[in-house]
Amino acid sequence: MKPSVFFYNIAQGFKGIFRNSVMTTASLLVLVACMILVGTFYLVIDTIDRNFNAIDNLNVIEIMLDKDYGEKEIVEIGQKLATICDESPIIDWTKDQWSADQNVPKSENFKFVSSDEHLEIMLQMYDEEWIKAIFEFDVEHGHDEGDNDGITNSVEDNPLRASYRITFKNLSDFDEVTKVKSRIDAIELDDASVNDTIPTEDIKDHIQLYGNVMSIKNTLYFAGIWLMAIFLLISLFVIMNTIKLGVFARRHEITFMRLCGATKNFIRMPFLVEGIIIGILSAAISFGIEFYLYEYLLRDIIASATGATGEMGIISVSFWEYAPVIAIGFAAIGLFAGIISSSISLKKYLKA
Amino acid sequence: MNEQNMQEKRDIIKFENVSMAYGNGNLALNNVSLDIKEGEFVFLVGGNGAGKTTLTKLLICEEKLADGKLEVNGFKLHKIRSWRIPKLRRTMGMFFQDFKLFNNMTVYENVAFAMRVIGAKPSLIKKRVPVFLDMVGVGHKSDSFPNELSGGEQQRVAFARAIVNNPDIVIADEPTGNIDTEMTEGIMELLIKINKLGKTVLVITHDDQIVKNYNKRVVKLENGHVVSDKIGGFNV
């Protein structure tokens, strides 16, 4: 397209904006409402995600072993868990990773944690005095740093229990996670001296919490997508009407242009420019409003809703971390709405 | 132009057994065959419903023919692709009964608009528009708006606009409808002038007076058929 034609059409597009200023304003407002809605849902969902992901060991299931289990039972449970881990697609572990010289697994995603190792971890996290007070256990009395990875206790009177720890690749396949949990629940020991099955309370996980948060997230997603679709449709409808008014006002010009031999693109372009201007302008306004909404309102609302305040409170990041996604998203919505609505409005007038 | 010269010219418009029906099934044109040579001046006459408008719409590709073959200035309209239609229309100039001037544009802008919409360079527009306005005698009114002009002046502006893109064919749709004798003569003068420059002129009319006044080829349509095609006037 020649530069003169291009600039002529751009100028015509701007003229169109001012020709129907009331309808243009209406289009802008509806589109801004749509974008703010989408943006706000995105920010809330992402904030939930960030906080959720910050919870430690969310993707871990830990099977606590009864202190009365002997080596035989512990190894048997380990082997049965190994079959489950090997078969599950969401656990990055296969039986090959279990070396022949080990009685128990020691991989990152499926491993045996002895009671001594648990004690080590606890000692790293808490004061000895605190442990002594809670467990009525004298750490100094029985602690021996040199031998703490055996299957059964080496530390005398260690009150902690050994466990198997399974780490999921991710929790997004919630059905599979639940399936793994049920299979662990159903493990039966061949010749157990203590329990035939692992007591449910000994299987520690965050699956329920994960499920709840997922359900809230999904609800927000669906509500967000539906509301976005509805608002987008309304926006399209209003922009279409705005452009249709412009098209109607210029219908004689359009007819004349066609008869003179103007191409469809030439006729379409000013209206397309008009739609794009409405879209981009809405995106810019929405971006500004979303900034203030997030920085001065949304963060406080989320924090107070969850009861999280101060330094230990909810994790939220600066708006500018979201800015590229929000800007691109808004621009995409604006361009989509503008281009689609102007194309539909003109269709009737652009038959050969 | 004498008859021998005319026979040497190519057919610029060629209808070959063309039929055209609207949605209700009625044939607006029925098996029409018609040749118009380059540089010819032709009156297309007929009463209401004769098929004049349909024939014009077919020529400018506003409608598609149902049957037959139609060739206009080298474009085969019976199988034309939609992207070629603007190219075809650029070879034609339309002159309307009601002028269809834009009241929000000056005389200059009205004529320039016809050039601008086909992507003419601004420098060419600046050069060409004043020439054509002077040619039709309204050069001094270039900054006026159409509603500030007399009917005759508006007519001349519309004519300048129809020919500013240097079309091969000029189609005048009822150019003398609802205007007085003086204006009718004015517009016919312009049409004959442009015909003398080698342009093919097709005048669609039901005004038998102007047909009688000019000794030109007259094609008469009736109920979608060509019922007469001869030189000289006759009753419409």
Side-chain angles (χ1 to χ4, degrees), chain A residues 68-182:
Chain A
D68 291 332
Y69 278 147
E71 188 169 337
K72 187 181 147 239
E73 283 97 347
I74 292 172
V75 171
E76 189 189 338
I77 291 171
Q79 283 167 346
K80 290 187 170 166
L81 287 172
T83 308
I84 297 169
C85 292
D86 186 47
E87 288 169 6
S88 173
I90 56 165
I91 301 164
D92 200 4
W93 188 86
T94 57
K95 278 186 173 171
D96 314 338
Q97 290 169 261
W98 193 335
S99 64
D101 58 337
Q102 289 173 329
N103 272 332
V104 284
K106 284 288 177 189
S107 305
E108 187 59 35
N109 296 323
F110 175 38
K111 70 174 169 188
F112 174 77
V113 186
S114 72
S115 55
D116 292 357
E117 283 171 305
H118 276 297
L119 183 62
E120 272 300 309
I121 295 164
M122 198 162 269
L123 280 169
Q124 281 165 15
M125 290 167 70
Y126 305 103
D127 194 68
E128 279 185 24
E129 287 301 312
W130 187 87
I131 294 171
K132 193 175 175 180
I134 298 289
F135 295 105
E136 295 174 352
F137 163 63
D138 188 350
V139 178
E140 278 179 23
H141 170 69
H143 185 226
D144 174 10
E145 286 185 2
D147 177 21
N148 59 4
D149 58 353
I151 293 179
T152 50
N153 282 23
S154 65
V155 178
E156 201 180 324
D157 298 333
N158 181 351
L160 303 175
R161 293 195 279 165
S163 69
Y164 280 106
R165 184 174 286 177
I166 297 167
T167 307
F168 296 106
K169 266 195 285 193
N170 61 61
L171 292 173
S172 55
D173 188 350
F174 192 62
D175 288 345
E176 182 60 28
V177 175
T178 317
K179 204 170 121 189
V180 169
K181 171 112 193 279
S182 332

Side-chain angles (χ1 to χ4, degrees), chain B residues 22-190:
Chain B
Y22 286 104
N24 57 13
N26 289 343
L27 278 174
L29 287 180
N30 192 357
N31 208 26
V32 170
S33 292
L34 176 69
D35 297 340
I36 296 173
K37 300 264 184 220
E38 192 175 12
E40 243 189 310
F41 191 114
V42 179
F43 284 111
L44 186 65
V45 299
N48 287 334
K52 305 190 300 288
T53 307
T54 304
L55 194 139
T56 315
K57 281 184 174 175
L58 287 179
L59 284 177
I60 58 174
C61 266
E62 274 281 274
E63 296 287 350
K64 283 184 177 173
L65 61 163
D67 203 11
K69 288 179 180 174
L70 172 57
E71 198 172 324
V72 178
N73 210 6
F75 291 87
K76 293 180 170 56
L77 304 199
H78 47 280
K79 54 180 181 183
I80 192 166
R81 301 249 177 195
S82 62
W83 62 269
R84 296 248 301 154
I85 294 173
K87 289 182 190 295
L88 161 83
R89 288 176 179 158
R90 288 176 194 190
T91 69
M92 293 191 261
M94 289 288 290
F95 180 78
F96 306 95
Q97 176 183 5
D98 56 354
F99 312 143
K100 293 197 191 317
L101 294 175
F102 304 120
N103 286 327
N104 58 340
M105 297 181 192
T106 63
V107 164
Y108 178 92
E109 286 165 347
N110 261 284
V111 179
F113 186 67
M115 292 186 75
R116 194 169 279 135
V117 299
I118 61 163
K121 281 183 185 171
S123 57
L124 185 68
I125 296 174
K126 271 184 196 164
K127 209 166 119 184
R128 212 170 156 81
V129 173
V131 173
F132 277 78
L133 287 177
D134 284 340
M135 191 177 110
V136 297
V138 287
H140 60 293
K141 298 273 185 178
S142 64
D143 292 331
S144 306
F145 286 91
N147 51 15
E148 296 166 354
L149 305 179
S150 70
E153 285 168 334
Q154 286 185 30
Q155 193 183 44
R156 285 164 185 276
V157 176
F159 191 76
R161 194 177 61 175
I163 59 171
V164 73
N165 286 326
N166 196 24
D168 296 324
I169 305 165
V170 175
I171 300 172
D173 187 9
E174 301 285 3
T176 59
N178 306 324
I179 56 173
D180 58 36
T181 318
E182 196 183 333
M183 276 171 74
T184 300
E185 276 172 16
I187 200 68
M188 286 309 295
E189 232 174 69
L190 288 169

Side-chain angles (χ1 to χ4, degrees), chain A residues 2 4-5 8 250 252-264 266 351-352, chain B residues 60-62 85-86 89-90 94 96 102 104-105 113-114 116-120 122 161:
Chain A
K2 292 175 194 165
S4 60
V5 174
Y8 170 76
R250 295 186 63 192
H252 297 308
E253 275 178 53
I254 292 172
T255 308
F256 180 76
M257 284 157 93
R258 286 175 53 234
L259 293 179
C260 276
T263 58
K264 282 184 186 179
F266 184 93
K351 60 171 190 164
Chain B
I60 58 174
C61 266
E62 274 281 274
I85 294 173
R89 288 176 179 158
R90 288 176 194 190
M94 289 288 290
F96 306 95
F102 304 120
N104 58 340
M105 297 181 192
F113 186 67
R116 194 169 279 135
V117 299
I118 61 163
R161 194 177 61 175

